[in-house]
């Protein structure tokens, strides 16, 4: 037993509140405030994972978001979460976690055998082999199953997520010393401030450094006082467990809040989301994101029990866990000394191998006082131990070259911590195009405090390379002073408030890869990126193979592509690459990061856009009636339209057959409310319509309606509908259901941008009108029962007329138009009465067995008449002439209407374009597949030239046979009634392997003269 | 001469601590002039150079690149490869490309990890299903493998998908192309670079074109950040930056450059063995060999050259994925990024000669360029070598925007590639 | 993600309230019939696709439903301003951006 | 044939949720209280703010002035005029006032470039009150609610839909389109669930138009 608990007062765990949990099937105890990692380490746990490529034993390395190895699967079943970092999992009672690597077991891992051949599996090895086309799929199967960490749940997520939008004057990201200072100063100045911190409590590194003193207060007291004051300010909002994972243009920050993850599933509150996406738009963003310690790179540096020095300090001071009793620390800087002293004071034997020949004298004094042994000028050549570190071989380093100068002692130890210096957490700074710069004195890519102030981005503390507490606070104070001054405000503090007990810093040694006296690749593997098994030798290999751009190096070796986003590996990788390339680090390039800073669930990103609220469903005023009558619905655009109304035991075809015959023989009724309706008014309305429609509107008289075709500028049909002339300067246009919004903004755009001089206004009245289409020979008989103030007689109310009147006691506008070819009335009323009028019509029609029908029957009825559906019979490549609808084009109109000019282009003017025709199969029972391709002969051996395709196809109950519409090259000229010779009217319709012989005919299958609608 | 890659070379080099590997490609200084300069060292540009040298015996070829090779959309796409397009012209071009994909690893002696795991294009509405039927029948008559599957069959083949009727976009069926799949994007660029380099093609990185030397209606050379380079012929394959190059030659293109975003999840154990695409819900995904869910988002509607889009696009895409796979709401996004796609009005590419003699453009691939990489390079090489389009790209010239002979693939293209 | 000040609502609003309308000030030819196919095709399809300061149209979809113009840098996403069509036109012409 | 015996039955867009039957008096047990304010009159008016004749005639016809300041509304008792754009307003009123207002507008605007359209079937209103009303809205819209002062009204997003939004006494008023009402109500209820939502009885004094 080498690890042990140290129950000191400053620990952030509550030793009075024991919790138990399970890892990999074994039960453990921990305390409230522990993370899964700290609790496991307290049990001396070393190996928690196997490495991605070689299956090497791996342990916990860090204490937070930087952790590369300890990826665990938490909970099971629908609640399971893959790939959480044990260092970020807050312990709760009954927590169940397991490893995500190591097969069949952690102890006995198959991959580790492959690992023995690591030298044959260097970076990019799979690009160089598995080239057999036959064998690759088998290799790939193996690779896929060897890769991957946790498992996705297989059941739908029982928890929910949501979004919240915020707007603030100042957003401070990071609740460490500088972040707290920034929030206090801006808060005191009366600004709207949001402070977010990713951890369960603010404090940042101070939580790991309780012996620090700020302005005469110990760190814990200083934090407590800051928080108390922040909470007392109404203009400051403090959010914990909230990780800012992306910074976007104009200071929009996305942050993910963990609302319930730290609670046992049994204690989670239903109705409260599991996680929440905060979208924060701030005038000024203050990045107080701190820095992350990077380890030094040395042989076997991935053996479990080798952590970053700062992690060792954190586990001791914050969680009360000494990770070992014989501690070896290796450093290039001052950072490890406080921890070294604390560990020694806690009873550990501590040796510091300081790669510098001269340590910081003040720290050396304090260390000596705590009984810490310091070996100056030494580094670790190689660590020993299999699944737990047992010792390390030191070498004497050259004073100024990173080379071995001589032999060194062997140090037996049960834990190693190393520090190569700090790397500023510049991830967010990079997201919106910011570029950190390399500072050779600080050995870090740093963000500048006010360099991006113009964009409203300020950086404070360690993220700017001011790593010491004293220097960081001073820099933060200066920067916030600038920020406040730019707003005409003044800071409340005086600099003395941030004086600390920190010794003046001594310069660090510039070292990343600790030499072992061997050529790179000859000694023990020295890992740079643990999660992707990238060793220093892999980087050298990449360079050797001319992958010299840092992006190539990263991609070829996978450096920094893990879920830790290269937090530990990036700078070491750069430095080693620079070495290999013989360049300086800035010459290699600047490090940059993409969102997410730390992984965020898809659920959080989606928020409430899920299930019922994924996408709007629009309903008409009659929807209740349809649902009550058992309608099946079809989504059309955002609308839910009745598709058909099955009676008991009826399928689609049965219902449609019945509905069609009702419309043709008696009376049927359809909800047409979803059609777009646009009220257009103004003295120039006819001129306007003449420009946006192909038709001529000059002579349409009040009281009359006309069908119109709307074209895009490319000359292709984009929408259609009936437009009524109310008065000379007032028209009402109808559009397709799916096209309504598009047409409305199309018309507005043309009016606003091209023809503002036209006196016309448009208003959408789609939602105002509810529309019932009463269709069939008996429709007049039905309507007359409910409408006494319109003369409905054929003579008085002609086809394509409209009238105002009253239906079922409700003011109504009735159109005598027909999309079925039958006598038909479309009754429009204030939608508030839509349901009432629908029910009244059903009641009045009962004696004629009035039959409600849906979109499917509507399609059959209109196809029998050869009426097109835009979007089904057209696909954006059909002109009015292709549709044989020249009658709807007013070529003589003075204004060159939208799309007209395009007609005369060579390809558009071609005679043999695809044209809309009707098709009749030889076998009347065969209903062609919509989407069947038209070919010349029955030969279907590819490649077969295609003439067009079937756009609409149904069985027509009226005709007792199948009918179809299709677009066919030169089709109009090939129609049977055109008297074509030698069977040019015969083609084949191919679908799913079979070709049916069909005749090309007119697309009007019944009542070509259109007499029925005129009765 | 460069060593071949094989198990044996891996073994031999392994024993020598991997110190004996050659550079994958050479990085020479630019020569004063070349017969052909390809501008843009993405997959398409490198493939063009490779096929020019290999199939047309052209020598004196340089590929110049303003950044690092393969750093544009080649490195930023979601790697879907398929050929189930609607219109003959595009179907034939993409099928030509797919055939090349099938032999590419062996041809390049570089494993591009082409994985023929099939692609599903989901249908959620009756019109979706009509369009799928139409496209699949056209594919079959063009000799392209494709089939229509119903909702139950889709569920059987993709166990995690939500096939319930209650969803906002119920899955009515899908088209399925078995030979389609995914590949390792970087490997394609590196493989072509290495193979082209073997043929003596000069690959010159960090070399940005600042102006074009055009005299008497003919291209003479390029002014670059690494000096003037003469050329008899210049092929521009610059994707999002095509309009910028065209401007230097006084040519206008029907292109708009938009951000196209994508993201990957953390690495997971295998949970999805194919590629799923849905235009209706605007999401498409596959799982990489490394275990990451690779997810393509919609394009941002505004023009941009910033390789950065808006977060709500990513959020909507995550929602779309959850609509298809509800359990993935607990999976986490690890990394997101953006590319710049050059979109044409008919969602089809432009592979064309221009009004300037010796100057050619290959652009407008929009959201779908990756799948075409070998085919695009192959026909473009032919176009340059013969100063005449290959039969497969004749229809993709610039004239179609005045004759009106557009090849509208919005249906097949959608957002989803 | 942008914040745009709608020149009609005179308020800063989030990008999601707007829809992008493409290149600004592409005037419809006054007499299309007099253009040859190339010129008509140019009007229909050819675009500047500027890398740099770009004059573009945005519509305030959820707000006033008005179309207006924005000057935005397509490489940095910097936004210089938003104007009504009329006001924007004056600046656009003054800059010679149409040339 | 004569009119049917039964008088026409009016139905509001949120009828399907049966809000009337579950509504109760507000209390402290819920963070937010909401309900539909149904059956109002809605009139779309278009014309140029800059046209003095129009603004004068409209003011005359309505008995209150047209707001010409962007994103504001004017109110007089039960009539409210909402600025939508420099050439568009939405007038809300008690349903029984609609016919009178339509005809007085029609008469008053005779010969003036304008448009008047009855949209009463197309819209409804939802009132949201309670201590967390603003929190709930911050989940639903991207708009900066801090900028929404008294007397201001904005058209903005609501989930993937859109609404007109303004403050109402101790709460907010949403003006929305009929066909989107179902989606918006579901979205609202979901957003409110962490705070607890109740369906409130808003007294007669609480008609949306009076807010």
């Amino acid at each position: 037993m080498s690890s042990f608990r140290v129950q000191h007062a400053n620990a952030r765990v509550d030793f009075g509140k024991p919790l138990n949990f399970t890892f990999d099937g074994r039960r453990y105890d921990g305390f409230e405030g522990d993370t899964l990692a700290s609790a496991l380490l307290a049990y001396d746990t070393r190996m928690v994972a196997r490495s991605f490529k070689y299956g090497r034993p791996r342990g916990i390395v860090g204490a937070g978001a930087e952790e590369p190895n300890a990826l665990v699967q938490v909970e099971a079943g629908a609640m399971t979460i893959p790939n959480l970092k044990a260092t970020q999992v807050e312990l709760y009672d009954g927590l169940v976690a397991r490893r995500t690597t190591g097969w069949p077991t952690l102890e006995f891992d198959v991959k580790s055998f492959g690992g023995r051949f690591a030298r044959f599996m260097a970076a990019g090895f799979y690009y160089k082999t598995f080239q057999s086309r036959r064998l690759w799929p088998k290799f790939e199967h193996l690779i896929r199953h060897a890769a991957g960490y946790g498992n996705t749940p297989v059941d739908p997520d029982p928890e929910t997520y949501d979004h919240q939008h915020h707007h603030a004057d100042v957003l401070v990201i990071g609740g460490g010393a500088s972040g707290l200072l920034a929030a206090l100063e801006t808060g005191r100045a009366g600004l709207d401030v949001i402070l977010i911190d990713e951890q369960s409590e603010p404090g940042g590194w101070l939580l790991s450094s309780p012996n620090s003193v700020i302005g005469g207060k110990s760190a814990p007291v200083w934090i407590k006082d800051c928080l108390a004051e922040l909470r007392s300010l109404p203009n400051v909002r403090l959010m914990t467990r909230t990780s800012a994972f992306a910074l976007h243009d104009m200071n929009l920050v996305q942050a993910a809040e963990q609302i319930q993850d730290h609670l046992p599933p049994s204690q989670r509150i239903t109705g409260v989301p599991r996680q929440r996406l905060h979208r924060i738009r701030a005038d000024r963003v203050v990045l107080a994101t701190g820095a992350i310690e990077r380890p030094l790179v040395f042989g076997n540096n991935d053996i479990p029990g080798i952590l970053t020095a700062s992690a060792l300090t954190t586990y001791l001071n914050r969680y009360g866990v000494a990770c070992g009793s014989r501690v070896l620390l290796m450093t290039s800087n001052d950072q490890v000394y406080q921890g070294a002293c604390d560990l020694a004071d806690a009873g550990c034997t501590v040796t510091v191998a300081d790669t510098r020949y001269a340590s910081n004298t003040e720290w050396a004094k304090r260390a000596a006082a705590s009984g810490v042994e310091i070996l100056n000028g030494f580094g670790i050549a190689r660590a020993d131990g299999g699944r737990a570190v047992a010792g390390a071989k030191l070498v004497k380093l050259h004073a100024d070259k990173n080379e071995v100068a001589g032999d060194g002692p062997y140090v037996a130890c049960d834990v190693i911590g190393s520090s190569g210096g700090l790397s500023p957490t510049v991830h967010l700074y990079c997201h919106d195009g910011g570029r950190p710069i390399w500072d050779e004195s600080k050995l870090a890519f740093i963000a500048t405090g006010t360099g991006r102030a113009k964009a409203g981005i300020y950086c404070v503390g360690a993220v700017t390379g001011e790593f010491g507490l004293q220097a960081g606070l001073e820099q933060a104070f200066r920067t916030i002073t600038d920020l406040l001054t730019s707003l005409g405000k003044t800071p409340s503090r005086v600099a003395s408030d941030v004086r600390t007990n920190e010794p003046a810093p001594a310069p660090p040694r510039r070292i990343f890869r600790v030499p072992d006296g061997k050529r790179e690749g000859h000694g023990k593997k020295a890992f740079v990126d643990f999660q992707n098994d990238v060793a220093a030798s892999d980087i050298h290999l990449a360079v050797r193979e001319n992958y010299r751009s840092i992006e190539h190096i990263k991609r070829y070796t996978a450096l920094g592509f893990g879920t830790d986003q290269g937090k530990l590996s990036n700078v070491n990788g750069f430095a080693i690459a620079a070495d290999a390339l013989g360049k300086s680090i800035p010459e290699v390039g600047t490090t940059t990061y993409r969102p997410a800073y730390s992984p965020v669930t898809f659920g959080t990103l989606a928020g409430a856009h899920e299930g019922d609220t994924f996408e709007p469903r629009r309903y008409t005023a009659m929807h209740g009636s349809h649902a009550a009558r058992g309608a099946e619905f079809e989504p059309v655009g955002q609308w839910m339209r009745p598709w058909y109304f099955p009676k008991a035991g009826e399928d689609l075809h049965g219902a449609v057959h019945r509905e069609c015959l009702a419309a043709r023989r008696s009376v049927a009724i359809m909800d047409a409310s979803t059609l777009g309706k646009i009220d257009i008014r103004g003295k120039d309305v006819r001129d306007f319509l003449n420009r946006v429609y192909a038709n001529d509107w000059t002579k349409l008289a009040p009281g009359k309606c006309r069908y119109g075709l709307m074209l895009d500028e490319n000359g292709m049909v984009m929408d259609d509908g009936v437009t009524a002339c109310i008065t000379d300067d007032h028209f009402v246009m109808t559009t397709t259901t799916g096209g309504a919004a598009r047409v409305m903004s199309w018309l507005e755009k043309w009016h606003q941008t091209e023809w503002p001089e036209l006196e016309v206004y448009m208003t959408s009245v789609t939602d105002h009108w509810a529309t019932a289409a009463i269709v069939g020979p008996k429709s007049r008989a039905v309507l007359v029962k409910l409408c006494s103030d319109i003369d409905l007689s054929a003579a008085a109310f002609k086809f394509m007329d409209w009238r105002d009147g009253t239906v079922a006691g409700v003011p109504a506008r009735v159109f005598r138009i027909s999309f079925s070819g039958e006598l038909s009335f479309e009754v429009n009323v204030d939608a508030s009465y839509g349901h009432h009028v629908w029910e009244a019509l059903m009641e009045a029609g009962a004696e004629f067995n009035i039959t409600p029908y849906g979109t499917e029957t509507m399609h059959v009825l209109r196809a029998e008449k050869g009426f097109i559906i835009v979007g089904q019979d057209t696909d954006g490549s059909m002109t009015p002439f292709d549709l044989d609808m020249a009658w709807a084009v007013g070529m003589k109109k003075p204004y060159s209407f939208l799309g007209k000019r395009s007609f005369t282009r060579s390809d558009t003017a071609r005679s043999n374009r695809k044209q809309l025709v009707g098709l009749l199969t030889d076998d009347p029972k065969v209903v062609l597949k919509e989407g069947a391709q038209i070919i010349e002969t029955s030969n279907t051996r590819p490649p077969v030239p295609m003439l067009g395709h079937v756009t609409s196809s149904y069985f027509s109950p009226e005709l007792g046979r199948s009918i179809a519409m299709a677009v066919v090259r030169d089709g109009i000229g090939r129609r049977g009634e055109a008297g074509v010779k030698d069977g040019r009217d015969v083609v084949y319709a191919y679908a799913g392997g079979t070709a049916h012989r069909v005749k090309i005919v007119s697309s009007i299958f019944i009542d070509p003269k259109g007499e029925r609608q005129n009765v | 001469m460069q060593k071949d890659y094989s198990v044996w070379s891996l073994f031999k080099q392994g024993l020598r601590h991997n110190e004996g590997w050659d550079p994958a490609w050479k990085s020479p200084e630019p020569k004063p002039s070349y017969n052909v300069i390809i501008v843009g060292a993405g997959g398409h540009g490198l493939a063009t150079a490779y096929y020019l040298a290999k199939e047309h015996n052209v020598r004196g070829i340089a590929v110049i690149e303003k950044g690092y090779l393969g750093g544009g959309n080649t490195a930023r796409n979601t790697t879907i490869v398929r050929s189930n397009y609607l219109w003959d012209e595009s179907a034939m071009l993409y099928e030509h490309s797919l055939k090349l994909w099938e032999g590419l690893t062996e041809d390049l002696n570089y494993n591009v990890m082409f994985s023929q795991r099939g692609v599903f294009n989901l249908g959620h509405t009756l019109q979706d299903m009509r369009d799928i039927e139409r496209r699949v029948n056209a594919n079959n008559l063009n000799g392209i493998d494709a089939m229509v599957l119903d909702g139950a069959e889709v569920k059987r083949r993709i166990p995690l998908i939500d096939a319930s009727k209650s969803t906002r976009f119920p899955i009515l069926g899908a088209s399925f192309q078995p030979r389609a799949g995914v590949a390792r994007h970087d490997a394609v660029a590196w493989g072509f670079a290495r193979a082209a380099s073997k043929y003596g093609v000069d690959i010159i990185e960090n070399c940005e074109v600042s102006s074009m030397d055009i005299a008497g209606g003919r291209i003479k050379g390029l002014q670059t950040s690494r000096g003037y380079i003469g050329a008899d012929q210049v092929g521009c394959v610059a994707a999002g930056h095509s309009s910028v190059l065209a401007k230097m030659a006084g040519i206008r293109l029907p292109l708009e450059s938009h951000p196209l975003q994508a993201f990957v999840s953390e690495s997971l154990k295998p949970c999805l063995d194919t590629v799923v695409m849905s235009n209706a819900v605007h999401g498409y995904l596959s799982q990489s060999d490394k275990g990451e869910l690779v997810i393509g988002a919609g394009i941002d509607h505004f023009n941009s050259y910033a390789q950065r889009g808006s977060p709500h696009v990513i959020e909507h895409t995550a929602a779309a994925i959850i609509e298809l796979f509800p359990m993935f709401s607990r999976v986490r996004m690890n990394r997101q990024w953006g590319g710049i796609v050059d979109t044409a009005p008919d969602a089809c590419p432009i592979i064309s000669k221009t009004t300037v003699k010796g100057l050619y453009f290959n652009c407008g691939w929009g959201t779908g360029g990756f799948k075409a990489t070998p085919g695009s390079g192959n026909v473009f090489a032919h176009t340059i070598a013969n100063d005449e389009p290959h039969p497969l790209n004749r229809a993709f010239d610039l004239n179609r925007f005045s004759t009106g002979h557009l090849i509208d693939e919005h249906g097949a293209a959608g957002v989803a590639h | 993600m942008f914040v745009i000040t709608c020149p009609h609502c005179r308020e800063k609003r989030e990008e999601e309230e707007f829809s992008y309308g493409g290149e600004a000030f592409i005037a419809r030819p006054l007499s299309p019939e007099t253009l040859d196919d190339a010129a008509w095709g140019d009007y229909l399809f050819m675009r500047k696709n500027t890398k740099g300061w770009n004059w573009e149209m945005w519509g305030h979809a959820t707000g006033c439903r008005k179309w207006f113009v924005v000057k935005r840098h397509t490489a940095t996403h910097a936004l210089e301003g938003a104007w009504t069509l009329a006001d924007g036109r004056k600046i656009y012409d003054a800059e010679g951006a149409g040339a | 044939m004569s009119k049917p015996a039964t008088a026409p039955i009016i139905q509001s867009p949120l009828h399907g949720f049966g809000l009337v039957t579950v509504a109760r008096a507000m209390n402290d047990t819920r963070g937010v209280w909401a309900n539909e304010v149904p059956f109002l009159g809605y009139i779309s008016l278009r014309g140029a703010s800059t046209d003095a004749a129009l603004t004068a005639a409209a003011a005359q016809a309505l008995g209150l002035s047209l707001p010409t300041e962007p994103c504001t509304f004017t109110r007089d008792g039960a009539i409210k005029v909402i600025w939508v754009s420099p050439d568009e307003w939405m007038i809300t009123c008690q349903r029984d006032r609609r016919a009178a207002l339509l005809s007085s507008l029609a008469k008053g605007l005779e010969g003036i470039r304008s448009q008047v359209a009855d949209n009463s079937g197309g819209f409804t209103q939802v009132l949201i009150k309670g201590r967390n009303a603003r929190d709930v809205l911050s989940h639903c819209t991207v708009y900066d609610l801090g900028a929404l002062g008294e007397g201001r009204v904005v058209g903005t997003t609501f989930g993937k839909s859109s609404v007109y939004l303004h403050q109402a006494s101790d709460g907010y008023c949403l003006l929305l389109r009929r066909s989107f009402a179902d989606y918006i109500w579901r979205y609202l209820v979901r957003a409110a669930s962490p705070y607890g939502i109740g369906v409130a009885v808003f007294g007669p004094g609480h008609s949306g138009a009076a807010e």
Side-chain angles (χ1 to χ4, degrees), chain A residues 817-882:
Chain A
I817 55 180
S818 178
F819 196 42
S820 59
E822 294 299 326
L823 173 67
S824 162
F825 299 87
E826 291 195 0
V827 179
N828 294 267
V829 296
D830 175 334
S832 315
Y833 295 97
H835 180 268
H836 163 78
V837 169
W838 180 270
E839 290 302 328
L841 287 164
M842 290 301 294
E843 193 183 330
E847 65 180 284
F848 310 101
N849 188 25
I850 191 168
T851 303
Y853 69 92
T855 51
E856 191 66 21
T857 291
M858 172 187 81
H859 284 194
V860 177
L861 296 172
R862 62 89 201 180
E864 290 172 334
K865 288 287 297 176
F867 297 146
I868 62 161
I869 299 269
V870 172
Q872 177 174 344
D873 301 295
T874 71
D875 61 2
S877 70
M878 304 293 287
T879 68
F881 308 103
D882 299 338

Side-chain angles (χ1 to χ4, degrees), chain A residues 149 157 519 544 546 595 600, chain B residues 18-19 25 269 329 333 336:
Chain A
Y149 295 100
D157 192 337
R519 288 224 310 285
R544 193 175 302 129
N546 202 38
V600 52
Chain B
N18 292 298
E19 286 178 340
W25 61 83
K269 293 273 183 323
S329 58
M333 174 182 83
Q336 86 181 53

Side-chain angles (χ1 to χ4, degrees), chain A residues 53-54 121-124 520 525 527 532-543 553 556-557, chain B residues 18:
Chain A
K53 198 164 149 190
Y54 307 125
M121 297 164 63
E520 195 60 77
K525 273 200 179 298
F527 287 90
N532 287 320
D533 266 344
V534 181
S537 55
D538 292 310
I539 294 173
H540 281 262
L541 171 60
V543 169
I553 292 168
Y556 192 64
T557 62
Chain B
N18 292 298

Side-chain angles (χ1 to χ4, degrees), chain B residues 243 251-256 345 350 397-402, chain C residues 23 26 37-49:
Chain B
S243 299
I251 297 168
R252 267 160 71 85
L253 293 174
L255 298 179
E256 295 210 61
I350 294 156
D397 69 0
L398 275 164
N399 287 338
R400 73 181 192 265
F401 299 100
S402 9
Chain C
E23 185 176 324
I26 299 174
D37 286 357
W40 181 248
D42 191 281
Y43 153 71
L44 280 185
F45 301 120
M46 301 301 165
R47 297 293 177 261
K48 288 199 192 109
N49 197 25

Side-chain angles (χ1 to χ4, degrees), chain D residues 83-113:
Chain D
W83 183 96
V84 173
S85 92
D87 60 10
E88 183 170 359
W89 296 266
M90 170 67 79
I91 298 153
T92 74
C93 61
Q94 300 293 16
R95 205 161 234 274
D96 52 24
R97 296 286 308 281
R98 165 180 63 157
L101 286 177
L102 280 167
S103 61
S104 59
L105 279 168
K107 221 178 279 100
L109 296 173
E110 194 94 55
I112 298 174
R113 180 181 177 182

